[in-house]
């Protein structure tokens, strides 16, 4: 992703008024008996957004146009802030170092990948986080928060490196903010200014980049 991805964020004021969320691809075969066979074609969900809902002024429209041109349409990916899902915990709670499990220490491993787990039932979904906001990351080992000087976080990969390896069996957890790696899902950005002035919202589709 590195060569075709720009580490810049889509205009935040527009993104926070956008719409969208996760999508999955499920294949359903209905038998003659009426029974169904269901199969998930994707191991991971993929998020889709429409940023057009956030464009309320000509200045915002111009900012999105400039951003689109610099990304060369669908060519380069970028960061997008999902207004509903951009924290390790619920939107109403502050980030805490115990929000999400990253793994267990083994006495040797120092590098852990940030992840967010959805659900607490029989089949939780674990999503790797590749674009964290590095300065927001908080880490704990065995329930004790580590000072910022004792670890580093790569904001372009989501990998956390601890200065010392956690002891065997010690839970490693983290809290963080994050962005979604996306690209434009169109090479055409067409806007009718008369319709825009009348309240019609342009379509600006974005799609998550799956590593």
């Amino acid at each position: 992703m590195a060569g075709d991805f720009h580490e810049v964020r889509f205009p935040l004021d527009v993104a926070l008024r956008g719409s969208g969320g996760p999508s999955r691809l499920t294949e359903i075969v209905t038998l003659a008996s009426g029974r169904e066979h269901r199969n998930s074609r994707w191991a991971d969900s993929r998020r889709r957004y429409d940023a057009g809902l956030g464009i309320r002024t000509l200045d915002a429209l111009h900012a999105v146009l400039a951003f689109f041109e610099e990304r060369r349409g669908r060519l380069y990916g970028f960061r997008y802030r999902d207004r509903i899902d951009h924290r390790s915990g619920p939107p109403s709670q502050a980030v805490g170092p115990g929000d999400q499990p990253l793994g267990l220490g083994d006495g040797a491993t120092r590098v852990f990948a940030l992840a967010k787990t959805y659900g607490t039932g029989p089949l939780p979904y674990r999503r790797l986080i590749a674009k964290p906001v590095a300065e927001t990351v908080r880490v704990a080992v065995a329930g004790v928060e580590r000072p910022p000087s004792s670890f580093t976080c790569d904001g372009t990969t989501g990998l956390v490196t601890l200065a010392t390896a956690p002891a065997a069996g010690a839970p490693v957890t983290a809290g963080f903010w994050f962005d979604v790696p996306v690209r434009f899902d169109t090479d055409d950005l067409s806007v009718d200014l008369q319709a825009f002035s009348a309240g019609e919202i342009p379509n600006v589709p974005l799609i998550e980049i799956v590593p």
Side-chain angles (χ1 to χ4, degrees):
M1 186 189 296
D4 58 1
F5 191 88
H6 293 170
E7 292 292 340
V8 295
R9 186 176 292 118
F10 186 83
L12 193 58
D13 58 333
V14 176
L16 294 181
R17 296 190 183 99
S19 65
S23 63
R24 289 187 173 273
L25 182 60
T26 304
E27 185 179 73
I28 301 177
V29 177
T30 304
L31 306 179
S33 65
R35 294 178 179 272
E36 291 182 345
H37 284 305
R38 296 183 295 276
N39 179 55
S40 179
R41 299 291 299 274
W42 295 348
D44 298 301
S45 57
R46 192 175 193 186
R47 282 150 178 79
R48 295 178 181 273
Y49 303 99
D50 185 355
L53 291 171
I55 301 176
R56 305 291 178 85
T57 66
L58 284 176
D59 283 350
L61 180 59
H62 182 268
V64 171
L65 174 65
F67 195 89
F68 177 86
E69 289 284 40
E70 191 172 5
R71 306 288 87 72
R72 308 298 194 270
R74 294 185 295 176
L75 186 58
Y76 293 101
F78 51 92
R79 289 172 173 258
Y80 182 81
R81 177 64 52 82
D82 185 330
R83 64 174 181 168
I84 300 299
D85 189 10
H86 62 268
R87 299 188 188 188
S88 50
S92 61
Q93 296 182 12
V95 166
D99 284 351
Q100 296 294 328
L102 304 187
L104 296 175
D106 60 8
T109 300
R110 295 192 300 118
V111 180
F112 294 84
L114 290 180
K116 182 174 181 178
T117 299
Y118 297 79
T120 57
L123 196 62
Y125 171 61
R126 188 172 190 267
R127 174 190 179 191
L128 290 177
I129 301 299
K131 299 298 176 183
V133 182
E135 60 270 22
T136 70
V137 177
R138 300 174 64 183
V139 175
V141 176
V144 179
E145 184 169 8
R146 289 284 183 93
S149 59
S150 69
F151 68 89
T152 59
C153 177
D154 188 333
T156 67
T157 64
L159 295 179
V160 171
T161 303
L162 301 173
T164 57
V172 180
T173 58
F176 46 84
W177 283 42
F178 63 94
D179 296 316
V180 183
V182 302
R183 62 167 171 80
F184 286 101
D185 199 23
T186 181
D187 277 325
D188 304 292
L189 198 59
S190 179
V191 180
D192 182 336
L193 279 182
Q194 286 188 337
F196 180 74
S197 299
E200 183 175 316
I201 297 170
N203 183 37
V204 185
L206 311 174
I207 188 168
E208 183 177 8
I209 299 172
V210 179

